[in-house]
Amino acid sequence: MDIVCKSCKTIFKGEIAKDFTTCPVCGAVINHFDMEDKQLQKELEEADKSILHFSKITETYVVIECSNCNRQTLSPLKDFEELEGTYVKIKPNAVVYCQVCKYEQKGRYITFGEVKMKDSIGPRCPKCKSLVLHKIGFFSKLVAAGALGSDAIPYNSCTYECVNCGHRF
């Protein structure tokens, strides 16, 4: 990335000017942090155009939402090196992709974007808005009724259990 001196408007190639603290033409101080911020901003703008976004960071996973197939997948926390409120940075050797449609994130950043999801075809957890649900089956309800009797009514009245937060609804 090229570096431009703010005082004299001289353009220097990034590789040459990366060690400059002052401009060799006019002597003005060159702030490399501005260049890093602009580079980060550019990468985050590209990540925001992606179809993969994260919606939640748990103790062990980052919940990745794919607006292509409208599904959520869990990506291990060990695949990320920087966790911020609006973005996560993928480690250089890690690959993050949608486990359903196999779309692979090209850049190193994934932005927060729960609102970028299409309207869900299936149900969402009312507590954490997750799409990763487990349907409570008839046999499971039958076993609960046999083992707990009338105490199983709250369990048996629910249809789904959220994999992320454990909420039953």
Side-chain angles (χ1 to χ4, degrees), residues 44-57:
L44 290 177
E45 285 172 2
E46 287 298 315
D48 204 35
K49 295 175 188 173
S50 174
I51 63 172
L52 293 183
H53 298 279
F54 81 95
S55 61
K56 184 178 179 183
I57 300 172

Side-chain angles (χ1 to χ4, degrees), residues 22-39:
T22 59
C23 175
V25 176
C26 69
V29 176
I30 296 176
N31 189 349
H32 290 283
F33 295 112
D34 288 345
M35 300 303 131
E36 292 172 8
D37 289 345
K38 287 180 184 176
Q39 182 65 25

Side-chain angles (χ1 to χ4, degrees), residues 3 7 20 27 75-76 78 83 85 87 93 95 98 102 104 106 108 117-118 122 125 128 135 143-144 148 158-159 166:
I3 296 174
S7 295
F20 289 172
S75 207
K78 67 178 178 59
L83 304 168
Y87 68 89
N93 58 346
V95 177
C98 175
K102 307 298 184 205
E104 184 178 322
K106 303 289 186 260
R108 296 206 42 225
M117 293 287 289
K118 299 175 192 170
C125 173
C128 72
K135 186 166 175 132
V143 169
L148 299 173
C158 301
T159 307

Side-chain angles (χ1 to χ4, degrees), residues 65-86:
E65 295 186 345
C66 177
S67 59
N68 187 41
C69 66
N70 209 29
R71 296 283 188 255
Q72 285 182 328
T73 56
L74 303 175
S75 207
L77 205 55
K78 67 178 178 59
D79 288 345
F80 301 91
E81 63 184 8
E82 205 174 309
L83 304 168
E84 296 292 331
T86 57

Side-chain angles (χ1 to χ4, degrees), residues 58-159:
T58 68
E59 293 176 6
T60 53
Y61 292 100
V62 175
V63 180
I64 305 292
E65 295 186 345
C66 177
S67 59
N68 187 41
C69 66
N70 209 29
R71 296 283 188 255
Q72 285 182 328
T73 56
L74 303 175
S75 207
L77 205 55
K78 67 178 178 59
D79 288 345
F80 301 91
E81 63 184 8
E82 205 174 309
L83 304 168
E84 296 292 331
T86 57
Y87 68 89
V88 291
K89 185 175 182 181
I90 305 167
K91 286 185 177 176
N93 58 346
V95 177
V96 175
Y97 64 95
C98 175
Q99 296 171 353
V100 178
C101 71
K102 307 298 184 205
Y103 176 83
E104 184 178 322
Q105 181 69 13
K106 303 289 186 260
R108 296 206 42 225
Y109 292 93
I110 297 177
T111 56
F112 179 81
E114 186 176 19
V115 295
K116 295 186 185 314
M117 293 287 289
K118 299 175 192 170
D119 289 334
S120 173
I121 297 169
R124 280 185 180 254
C125 173
K127 189 174 179 183
C128 72
K129 307 294 184 223
S130 173
L131 289 169
V132 184
L133 305 174
H134 169 72
K135 186 166 175 132
I136 301 171
F138 176 75
F139 183 73
S140 179
K141 290 181 179 183
L142 189 65
V143 169
L148 299 173
S150 63
D151 291 335
I153 292 173
Y155 178 80
N156 286 345
S157 64
C158 301
T159 307

